[in-house]
Amino acid sequence: DIVPPGVVVGDNLVKLLTHAKDNGYAIPAFNCTSSSTANAVMEAAKKNNSPVMIQVSNGGGAFYAGKGIKDPNNCAAGAVALALHVRTMAPYYGIPVVLHSDHCAKKLLPWFDGMLAADEEYFAQYGEPLYSSHMLDLSEEPDEDNIAICAEYFERMVKMSIWLEMEIGITGGEEDGVDNEDADPEKLYTSPEQVYAVYERLSKIGPMFSIAAAFGNVHGVYKPGNVTLQPERLGKHQAYAKEQLASENDKPIFLVMHGGSGSTDEEIKTAVENGVVKMNVDTDTQWAYWDGLRAFEKEKHDYLQGQIGNPTGADKPNKKFYDPRVWIRKAEEGMMDRIGVSMEKLMCKDKYTAKVPEAGSLPIYGFKPKATGPMAAVSGAVKGV
């Protein structure tokens, strides 16, 4: 077994990502905005025997909390709620789940601070962080500031063995309020020197970090061929780092890929071959979730025009069609199908045999506080007598 099922953190996360890099596959990271989408991701991972990443954006956290909540901490509170849901349910699916937070620009740092505070509280109680990893996207800032701020936060994160993902060079397009549609095209391609500058600074703090190096990536949905990706540049980053480090490892850096919609299968394959261990997927699964619902509404349209009355009779009830559990499930099924496609493209399908627990074997409340202080140690010793 690579790692145990459930939420993966710390050393187990390192093992999982190292296994991916060494064995030529990447793990897809799906943006989730609800318990429904999170469950769809975990069920699809179980079905495809694959590890998976569930990630939440700033806007996704706000939506999870409830659009009616206007508290300034709503995004962080929603992110915490999503994480607690995933931690509760992940063991039932029998696959490794990485809990991750998505792009955090400088203006969103209060959200990042809120999640880290929750990590620290969780760590104090349970001996591990709430989230497996977090992303800082300060790519709009000068490189020096970007790296310095990442290093400052990383110092805090390594104390809890939280993975840091950072971005240098920008991803084009627009996502979750960050608009790079008019960005300088040159900034869409990161240089080996830029990537190594990040590695050199962060590696002095700890090994648990990855770099989103831009190679023409664009957020949004585009037809294959309409985005000029150059994934071979990632190999140059690895070669440069290997030379600088005098390393025997051909891929010393953990890389991630953003803006994968519209990428050809060959471009994705090349990226993975050059050390990409994670690829973000959002736009395609958003459409798939909707498309599952759209197809259901089209098929059952005449049963969804009122509570009573359908083609089988004017007095026939329609509850079994408009019950949210029915049409939301259709949306989930559409999303799960698309998740399976991503897992095949990233070659992570069948890399981890799902270990679904025996029925009734898991505790309903699986959170166990760690023993702290001398009295707890004495209490534990007495119980063991």
Side-chain angles (χ1 to χ4, degrees):
D1 295 347
I2 309 168
V3 294
V7 172
V8 177
V9 298
D11 290 344
N12 280 332
L13 178 55
V14 175
K15 289 179 185 177
L16 179 61
L17 295 180
T18 301
H19 187 270
K21 187 170 63 161
D22 292 348
N23 290 275
Y25 67 94
I27 302 171
F30 300 99
N31 284 70
C32 292
T33 57
S34 64
S35 58
S36 170
T37 50
N39 290 347
V41 170
M42 291 187 285
E43 185 175 349
K46 180 183 75 171
K47 180 180 179 181
N48 287 279
N49 290 304
S50 172
V52 74
M53 298 191 183
I54 287 178
Q55 62 185 23
V56 63
S57 66
N58 177 268
F63 187 85
Y64 198 98
K67 294 295 285 185
I69 295 179
K70 304 304 179 184
D71 188 277
N73 292 322
N74 63 337
C75 301
V80 168
L82 172 64
L84 290 172
H85 169 79
V86 172
R87 278 190 166 274
T88 301
M89 300 311 304
Y92 288 89
Y93 291 92
I95 39 84
V97 178
V98 179
L99 266 173
H100 179 72
S101 65
D102 202 6
H103 294 264
C104 179
K106 191 173 184 179
K107 66 182 180 181
L108 301 178
L109 285 177
W111 169 56
F112 198 92
D113 291 332
M115 290 186 293
L116 273 189
D119 284 320
E120 289 167 341
E121 289 285 345
Y122 195 92
F123 187 86
Q125 292 185 61
Y126 302 109
E128 64 182 48
L130 178 62
Y131 269 81
S132 313
S133 58
H134 294 294
M135 185 202 176
L136 283 171
D137 181 1
L138 305 171
S139 55
E140 293 182 318
E141 311 303 321
D143 284 1
E144 184 177 342
D145 294 345
N146 180 354
I147 296 172
I149 296 171
C150 285
E152 180 182 347
Y153 274 100
F154 196 34
E155 293 275 8
R156 185 176 169 188
M157 294 166 69
V158 294
K159 297 174 184 176
M160 298 177 280
S161 295
I162 301 177
W163 190 280
L164 171 66
E165 177 185 326
M166 68 84 67
E167 182 164 346
I168 191 158
I170 65 173
T171 301
E174 188 276 334
E175 182 176 61
D176 212 40
V178 178
D179 190 348
N180 290 324
E181 290 185 337
D182 298 320
D184 180 351
E186 282 300 312
K187 292 185 178 180
L188 298 179
Y189 301 97
T190 309
S191 72
E193 291 79 9
Q194 286 177 292
V195 172
Y196 187 70
V198 175
Y199 181 90
E200 189 174 36
R201 180 69 179 274
L202 296 185
S203 63
K204 294 176 181 176
I205 301 170
M208 293 182 63
F209 66 92
S210 53
I211 303 171
F215 54 98
N217 321 63
V218 179
H219 285 135
V221 58
Y222 302 88
K223 290 183 178 180
N226 282 13
V227 176
T228 307
L229 289 181
Q230 299 179 19
E232 63 277 2
R233 285 175 176 252
L234 301 177
K236 296 178 181 179
H237 302 332
Q238 299 284 18
Y240 184 82
K242 177 182 179 179
E243 180 183 0
Q244 296 299 310
L245 295 167
S247 172
E248 295 183 1
N249 188 344
D250 290 335
K251 294 181 286 188
I253 302 175
F254 289 96
L255 297 172
V256 301
M257 178 177 176
H258 296 168
S261 297
S263 306
T264 66
D265 291 353
E266 188 60 32
E267 287 167 338
I268 292 173
K269 183 173 182 290
T270 300
V272 173
E273 288 173 346
N274 286 309
V276 163
V277 295
K278 167 185 180 279
M279 187 178 91
N280 289 4
V281 184
D282 187 16
T283 305
D284 291 335
T285 43
Q286 286 179 345
W287 169 259
Y289 191 88
W290 154 248
D291 199 38
L293 171 55
R294 181 201 59 76
F296 173 73
E297 192 282 331
K298 182 178 180 181
E299 179 186 357
K300 304 297 183 183
H301 177 83
D302 293 342
Y303 296 82
L304 297 167
Q305 303 311 302
Q307 288 185 286
I308 304 293
N310 60 50
T312 65
D315 60 346
K316 296 295 185 180
N318 294 317
K319 178 173 168 51
K320 65 180 180 180
F321 301 101
Y322 66 74
D323 184 329
R325 291 170 293 183
V326 176
W327 51 265
I328 288 176
R329 179 58 180 171
K330 295 300 181 180
E332 291 173 353
E333 289 172 352
M335 184 176 179
M336 287 190 289
D337 287 343
R338 183 58 184 80
I339 288 169
V341 172
S342 291
M343 289 175 169
E344 289 183 359
K345 288 177 179 287
L346 293 171
M347 297 164 283
C348 60
K349 183 175 180 178
D350 294 325
K351 288 296 191 294
Y352 187 99
T353 303
K355 298 172 179 61
V356 180
E358 183 180 347
S361 64
L362 290 176
I364 300 302
Y365 187 80
F367 301 91
K368 297 181 180 179
K370 67 175 184 178
T372 55
M375 292 306 296
V378 170
S379 176
V382 170
K383 290 179 181 178
V385 174

